[in-house]
Amino acid sequence: MKVVIFSTCIVDLFFPNVGAAMVEVLERFGCETFMPVKQICCGQPTYNSGYVKATQKVFRNEIDALLSVDTDYIVGPAGSCVNMLREYRVLLKDDPEYAEKAKEVADKTFEFSQFLYRVLNVIDAGAELDAKATYHRSCHMTRLLGERTAPFVLLDHVKDLQMEPLPHIENCCGFGGMFSAKEPEISKQMVDEKVDDVLSTGAKVLISADPACLMNISGRFSRRQEKIKIMHIAEVLNHNVDPKRIKFHDPLPVEQEVRL
């Protein structure tokens, strides 16, 4: 199976270790990975700032980059950015040259944990992490991608990992891309609430499937001089792996029960 790695700006610039972990996990499951160097940004920041027409060029560049290699799937480490690629089919539906290409990108793009669980049918990645942790559920991943199951199932099967429920898990961390820049005071209050909730669990590790959320929350932890180890789910699933523990599940039905 051939997979294009959708690196995303945040991972490329701030969390390269997450990208490396994602590639190692995918290759462990037999995926042949490619990362086209022409990809830059998916266009989400400028599009969400109102530069709808100006961002069209960015959309097209990303499409050309991701389709420059003939692969079966496109996999990214961030629910937020993956959702942007999924929206290309709507945003470029009237573009005579890129409408079909945009649909192709959208149809074969998956967030990392979603891809493992729903495409590769992985239930146990064979990982081990002796830690007490909690999971931050990002807004875009759940509300737009609609994925509320895959990360939890995969984390439930990590050996020795004690997962603590996060209070108010449905709440935003306050980042929201440009929202944190345009509404810094509100954003600060939101992330403070998120930090308080994380601290209340007694967890020593905060896990998420969205690097931007991890960056925002860990930044607030640092400013409050509180300590927490942050890990992207790809790093967790790539930690102390024993291939003998790897397990798969039967292919999922079209309608899968959502885990809240």
Side-chain angles (χ1 to χ4, degrees):
M1 182 181 295
K2 294 183 177 181
V3 173
V4 157
I5 300 299
F6 169 39
S7 60
T8 78
C9 302
I10 294 287
V11 166
D12 188 34
L13 297 173
F14 298 106
F15 296 102
N17 49 308
V18 170
M22 181 173 70
V23 169
E24 289 178 13
V25 172
L26 291 175
E27 292 185 347
R28 186 174 295 119
F29 285 102
C31 296
E32 185 179 2
T33 61
F34 303 85
M35 200 184 87
V37 296
K38 188 179 177 182
Q39 60 178 309
I40 44 172
C41 177
C42 66
Q44 184 176 190
T46 51
Y47 177 78
N48 288 345
S49 297
Y51 297 96
V52 177
K53 292 185 66 175
T55 310
Q56 300 292 312
K57 184 177 180 180
V58 181
F59 295 159
R60 296 186 189 102
N61 177 85
E62 196 71 4
I63 289 171
D64 288 340
L66 296 173
L67 296 182
S68 65
V69 184
D70 184 16
T71 60
D72 304 294
Y73 295 97
I74 299 167
V75 179
S80 175
C81 301
V82 164
N83 181 71
M84 189 75 240
L85 296 191
R86 294 260 183 104
E87 290 186 2
Y88 281 1
R89 76 167 91 231
V90 176
L91 300 175
L92 294 173
K93 63 182 177 63
D94 295 323
D95 188 310
E97 183 180 356
Y98 279 86
E100 284 302 314
K101 294 179 182 179
K103 185 178 183 302
E104 180 182 354
V105 166
D107 287 345
K108 65 181 184 179
T109 297
F110 288 84
E111 181 273 330
F112 169 71
S113 65
Q114 184 182 58
F115 181 74
L116 288 182
Y117 182 66
R118 299 192 179 279
V119 179
L120 298 184
N121 298 321
V122 176
I123 193 170
D124 189 334
E128 176 185 9
L129 181 62
D130 186 6
K132 185 177 183 180
T134 193
Y135 180 81
H136 165 68
R137 199 181 73 181
S138 72
C139 299
H140 282 79
M141 178 98 157
T142 55
R143 297 170 190 172
L144 297 180
L145 280 188
E147 184 56 74
R148 304 185 182 196
T149 304
F152 292 98
V153 172
L154 292 166
L155 291 174
D156 282 347
H157 287 82
V158 174
K159 184 180 178 182
D160 294 333
L161 181 61
Q162 179 185 343
M163 293 299 298
E164 295 293 330
L166 181 63
H168 312 115
I169 192 172
E170 71 280 1
N171 287 355
C172 177
C173 73
F175 183 65
M178 297 308 297
F179 173 79
S180 58
K182 294 180 177 179
E183 302 288 349
E185 292 304 317
I186 298 176
S187 175
K188 176 177 172 293
Q189 292 179 43
M190 293 171 72
V191 74
D192 271 330
E193 291 178 359
K194 183 63 65 173
V195 168
D196 290 340
D197 284 337
V198 172
L199 289 172
S200 74
T201 67
K204 303 301 180 183
V205 180
L206 174 65
I207 304 169
S208 182
D210 203 312
C213 298
L214 287 175
M215 180 176 67
N216 185 50
I217 300 169
S218 64
R220 193 60 191 152
F221 262 93
S222 178
R223 285 172 175 80
R224 286 177 46 166
Q225 299 184 339
E226 303 274 6
K227 291 185 178 180
I228 191 80
K229 179 179 177 64
I230 65 165
M231 294 185 76
H232 186 275
I233 192 169
E235 296 174 293
V236 176
L237 299 181
N238 196 43
H239 193 270
N240 289 349
V241 173
D242 181 354
K244 295 179 182 178
R245 291 199 302 269
I246 291 174
K247 294 180 183 178
F248 299 88
H249 61 79
D250 293 331
L252 295 169
V254 176
E255 293 298 329
Q256 174 68 30
E257 181 181 356
V258 172
R259 175 170 179 170
L260 299 175

